[in-house]
Amino acid sequence: MDRALIKSIAEVTKREPNFWSQPLEYDRRGASHRLFQYPAMMLPVVQRKLIELIKTAAPATHSLLDPFMGSGTALVAGMLNGLDCYGQDINPLSILLAKVKVEALDHPAYKIAAAALQVRVKLDNCLTAAVEFPKLSKWFEPVVVQELSKLVRAIRQEDNQTTRRLFWVTLAETIRLTSNDRTSTFKLHARPLDEIATRETSPLTTFQQLLKQNIKDIALYATQLTEQGTLQQHTYSGKVCIRVVDSSLEIERPVAASATQPGFDLLVSSPPYGDNRTTVPYGQHAFLPLQWIDFDDIDPAVSRASLRTTHEIDNQSLGGKQSTVTTQDEIRFSTLSPTFKANLLALRQSKPLETKKVVGFVRDLNAVLERCAKALKTNGYMVWTIGNRKVGGVEVQNNLILQELLRHHQVILLQTIERSIKNKRMARRNKTSATMMKEEILIFRKH
């Protein structure tokens, strides 16, 4: 299996040397990847190809896990390969977006629902804001609040929850484009006042355009699933499970009656490998859209406590709980990973106050890796996309640290694919992004 997989990867690279960085045949319309501009998405066509190659080399591959699900890219790639797909994340917006991608496939019904929604919006003469939260007027102009409120009230009147979820995701992207937040960075940064004063934007028009585009994209995705024979009556024939959970605390293994052992056949994921508060702040990016979305339509397990501050979601992510880092954590992971030890020693000499964020990240990452390794079947494959980063002027070699940690869980590296990150959207003034223009795709197998 290993030889066949390595050979097939080499053949793809030979045919198209730049495939892993910028494939020639990449259409963002496929599999609904344009629904929302989610931070640091994995390249969908690359993940789909990798899963295809692994499934060919290991035909017994039937299930996939992504413990850092994000926008659901790996799940969709798994569905396009006919797999049962399981995803986890702590970000409520991630949960909503992924659910829409895997469930909202009845595109004929959405056209009818969209027309009905537009009628409700036109009949709404209410000028009251549909939501209230601190600094509402900072982030949204009065006319934008009025139009978004009309949309919120109209969405709430839709009877079908899956359709409402599609509308909420469309509203989330509308909010991203029409709020006073800058779209040039994932962090919450208000536009200059003079720019806000002269800016003309209409949430109603934007929403209508986006929804029309989204329904077309869903129709294309449904066609792709139909062609491979996995769409029946607008529903994916395989299993799909999406959970709101911290993967460092829990990963539930699937149990199939015909399986010789419980667990997943394949893991495909990318950990949030930067400090979320300064590099890729997933939580900040979700903060404004989530203020307008009914949490009851996301998942019973999500809580509005995640919006207590703009950093709340990011603080709950890998390395976010820096106050709980101990000296014992430093000692333990210095023993487990020589690379971590060397990076930490260099950081302690340059910026000692920054050590906790690195220790916290590695500690939390290892907790996830340990659970993932236990949840993976023997001879199951792992595909991790990860990049290195700079902290206090020191390059933290996440790629090597990941390999060293996984060895302790009997998971061995088979292949490394280097890729450049094309069109990465990061603030230029953010120095931590300097070493994040390249990633490695690391392929492992559990022994």
Side-chain angles (χ1 to χ4, degrees), residues 21 48 148 151 178 215 419:
S21 298
R48 182 179 178 183
L148 288 175
L151 289 167
T178 62
I215 294 173
R419 66 177 302 268

Side-chain angles (χ1 to χ4, degrees), residues 74-95:
L75 301 191
V76 169
M79 290 171 66
L80 288 170
N81 278 282
L83 302 182
D84 293 337
C85 299
Y86 300 78
Q88 301 187 174
D89 212 291
I90 62 169
N91 187 340
L93 189 57
S94 165
I95 300 300

Side-chain angles (χ1 to χ4, degrees), residues 394-437:
V394 174
E395 181 177 356
V396 179
Q397 296 164 294
N398 291 324
N399 58 341
L400 299 179
I401 293 172
L402 179 71
Q403 296 173 44
E404 291 165 357
L405 292 177
L406 280 173
R407 281 196 205 110
H408 294 280
H409 304 300
Q410 289 71 56
V411 180
I412 307 302
L413 179 69
L414 297 178
Q415 180 80 356
T416 298
I417 303 172
E418 294 184 356
R419 66 177 302 268
S420 299
I421 307 175
K422 304 294 183 181
N423 304 317
K424 190 175 182 76
R425 200 152 59 85
M426 302 278 289
R428 291 292 181 187
R429 63 181 176 277
N430 189 343
K431 295 180 181 178
T432 58
S433 68
T435 59
M436 297 176 67
M437 300 309 292

Side-chain angles (χ1 to χ4, degrees), residues 64-65 67 86-88 241 243 245-247 249-255 262-264 371-372 374-376:
L64 176 148
L65 166 69
Y86 300 78
Q88 301 187 174
C241 179
R243 304 178 67 220
V245 65
D246 182 346
S247 294
L249 301 178
E250 179 184 349
I251 292 179
E252 184 176 338
R253 290 183 290 179
V255 179
F264 300 97
R371 293 187 181 279
C372 287
K374 290 179 180 178
L376 196 69

Side-chain angles (χ1 to χ4, degrees), residues 60-202:
T61 301
H62 298 295
S63 60
L64 176 148
L65 166 69
D66 185 348
F68 302 108
M69 180 181 60
S71 66
T73 301
L75 301 191
V76 169
M79 290 171 66
L80 288 170
N81 278 282
L83 302 182
D84 293 337
C85 299
Y86 300 78
Q88 301 187 174
D89 212 291
I90 62 169
N91 187 340
L93 189 57
S94 165
I95 300 300
L96 175 65
L97 182 55
K99 283 187 174 183
V100 170
K101 286 187 176 183
V102 304
E103 296 174 356
L105 299 167
D106 189 2
H107 53 95
Y110 304 142
K111 290 183 179 180
I112 299 171
L117 181 138
Q118 291 302 323
V119 171
R120 294 195 295 271
V121 168
K122 289 180 180 178
L123 294 175
D124 188 338
N125 296 316
C126 181
L127 301 179
T128 306
V131 301
E132 290 291 340
F133 60 91
K135 298 184 179 180
L136 172 65
S137 60
K138 172 184 176 180
W139 297 111
F140 299 94
E141 293 300 284
V143 65
V144 172
V145 171
Q146 288 182 14
E147 293 192 11
L148 288 175
S149 296
K150 290 177 185 289
L151 289 167
V152 168
R153 287 189 288 267
I155 292 170
R156 287 171 175 167
Q157 294 177 60
E158 168 59 44
D159 292 332
N160 184 276
Q161 187 181 57
T162 300
T163 304
R164 287 200 305 273
R165 285 172 175 162
L166 171 60
F167 289 163
W168 288 128
V169 167
T170 307
L171 184 74
E173 180 68 359
T174 300
I175 289 167
R176 189 185 74 82
L177 295 172
T178 62
S179 73
N180 292 337
D181 184 30
R182 297 177 185 176
T183 55
S184 58
T185 173
F186 293 125
K187 295 180 183 179
L188 273 175
H189 281 308
R191 297 171 184 266
L193 293 178
D194 58 343
E195 181 182 337
I196 293 173
T198 58
R199 189 166 176 252
E200 295 183 9
T201 182
S202 169

Side-chain angles (χ1 to χ4, degrees), residues 32-46:
S32 303
H33 292 300
R34 294 193 297 180
L35 290 175
F36 181 78
Q37 183 68 56
Y38 199 83
M41 282 177 54
M42 292 189 292
L43 204 55
V45 68
V46 168

